[in-house]
Amino acid sequence: MSVRSRRRRTSLAALAVAAPTIVVFAVFSWWPIVRGALMSVQHPTFVGAVEWVGWSNFAYVLADPQLGQAVGNTLWFTVLAIVFGFPLPLALAVMISTVRARRRGLFAALAYFPVIVPPVVAILLWRFAYDPAPTGLFNSILATVGAGPFAWLNDAALAMPSIVLQATWAAAGTSVLIYLAALTAVRPDLYEAAALDGASVWQRVWHVTLPQMRTMILIMLLLQLIGAAQVFTEPFLMTSGGPQNATLTILLLMYRYAFGGSADYGAATALGLLLAAALTVLSVLYLRLTRRWQA
């Protein structure tokens, strides 16, 4: 048997093994995307003939006065999530990496614990802690230092930062573990050389740790940007978009289109495609701008 025949047989065998996975992925991943793209140019009723409406769904979404507020709120959430939620897991990972090896696992498990709490349970617990009454948990704690009480989720100015705080607490653990794994790839001799040169702990982190992890940091930043732009569960369960639509996000507006009084699935899928297109453009631009820093 020739080398070409053996390679062909190996390729066919590999394709046969991978075929079930490819089919399942196509059915449950790609087909919903294709179906959503079709629904965006339709007025789906799920009974009777399909009504094709062309680009009218997109025109309706772009003309909706709530869209601007939803986009602004989503951007505000993203900014807060990046400013406060992005450096925290990295700092925790660096701190955990400096403790003794036998205790490192315990601290890593404690950092990851919020991730294993069911999201609905965690959000309801935080809603209880955000009770605006003076006897609320957070208000009671702040009263000991003479602060508060605050309305938290009932205050248009505090609602979004309050949601960001909960979302950061809930999601930081995964990033901490990823950063801890990346820290193991940093060569110890670099720290030793920096210490011999008289570098402080902060200088070693700034000049050794961060440059060695910059590719991972840039990737994690992109993933957090994409995730923050798709925030839904927290504002849906904590505020339902209020007060006065101060926490209305793009995905929450999409939910209102689909499951509100109008049940406009065409508008919902059109908004979803617009968000996907915006995130795709953002990702491409981000990767191009950061390409020279990932080496």
Side-chain angles (χ1 to χ4, degrees):
M1 183 182 296
S2 65
V3 175
R4 180 178 297 179
S5 299
R6 285 199 298 270
R7 289 179 177 175
R8 183 178 300 173
R9 176 172 295 183
T10 302
S11 299
L12 291 175
L15 181 61
V17 172
T21 302
I22 295 174
V23 171
V24 171
F25 184 81
V27 170
F28 291 99
S29 295
W30 288 105
W31 171 242
I33 295 175
V34 174
R35 185 72 182 94
L38 292 174
M39 288 176 63
S40 68
V41 292
Q42 298 174 346
H43 180 63
T45 60
F46 302 106
V47 289
V50 173
E51 180 183 355
W52 295 85
V53 295
W55 300 105
S56 62
N57 286 327
F58 293 92
Y60 171 78
V61 169
L62 294 174
D64 188 348
Q66 288 190 330
L67 178 62
Q69 188 171 11
V71 171
N73 291 338
T74 303
L75 291 175
W76 180 228
F77 177 90
T78 302
V79 169
L80 292 176
I82 295 300
V83 171
F84 297 104
F86 182 73
L88 178 62
L90 181 57
L92 287 175
V94 172
M95 292 173 61
I96 292 173
S97 67
T98 61
V99 303
R100 293 180 180 179
R102 65 176 61 182
R103 295 182 179 180
R104 199 172 300 163
L106 173 62
F107 286 109
L110 290 175
Y112 191 73
F113 175 75
V115 179
I116 66 177
V117 178
V120 175
V121 174
I123 291 172
L124 293 179
L125 289 174
W126 276 77
R127 279 189 61 182
F128 171 78
Y130 279 136
D131 187 343
T135 55
L137 179 59
F138 287 159
N139 282 334
S140 298
I141 295 173
L142 292 175
T144 61
V145 294
F150 297 102
W152 300 114
L153 301 176
N154 295 334
D155 188 328
L158 293 177
M160 190 64 81
S162 301
I163 291 176
V164 170
L165 179 61
Q166 188 279 331
T168 300
W169 171 86
T174 301
S175 299
V176 169
L177 294 188
I178 293 174
Y179 287 135
L180 281 173
L183 283 168
T184 61
V186 179
R187 292 159 43 197
D189 58 295
L190 296 176
Y191 291 115
E192 296 172 2
L196 291 175
D197 290 338
S200 64
V201 174
W202 168 248
Q203 289 173 329
R204 290 197 293 270
V205 170
W206 184 259
H207 295 288
V208 177
T209 304
L210 296 183
Q212 292 293 314
M213 295 177 59
R214 63 179 179 269
T215 299
M216 178 61 68
I217 292 173
L218 291 171
I219 292 174
M220 292 296 293
L221 178 57
L222 175 60
L223 293 177
Q224 186 160 352
L225 284 169
I226 295 174
Q230 300 180 73
V231 60
F232 170 75
T233 307
E234 290 81 4
F236 176 69
L237 292 177
M238 297 183 82
T239 61
S240 298
Q244 301 173 357
N245 287 333
T247 57
L248 175 65
T249 61
I250 295 176
L251 258 65
L252 190 51
L253 180 60
M254 191 188 311
Y255 175 87
R256 289 183 178 181
Y257 284 152
F259 302 104
S262 60
D264 195 340
Y265 300 103
T269 53
L271 180 56
L273 285 180
L274 290 173
L275 177 60
L279 292 178
T280 300
V281 173
L282 172 65
S283 300
V284 171
L285 291 176
Y286 178 89
L287 293 174
R288 287 184 177 275
L289 291 174
T290 60
R291 179 180 300 171
R292 63 188 181 91
W293 296 329
Q294 296 184 27

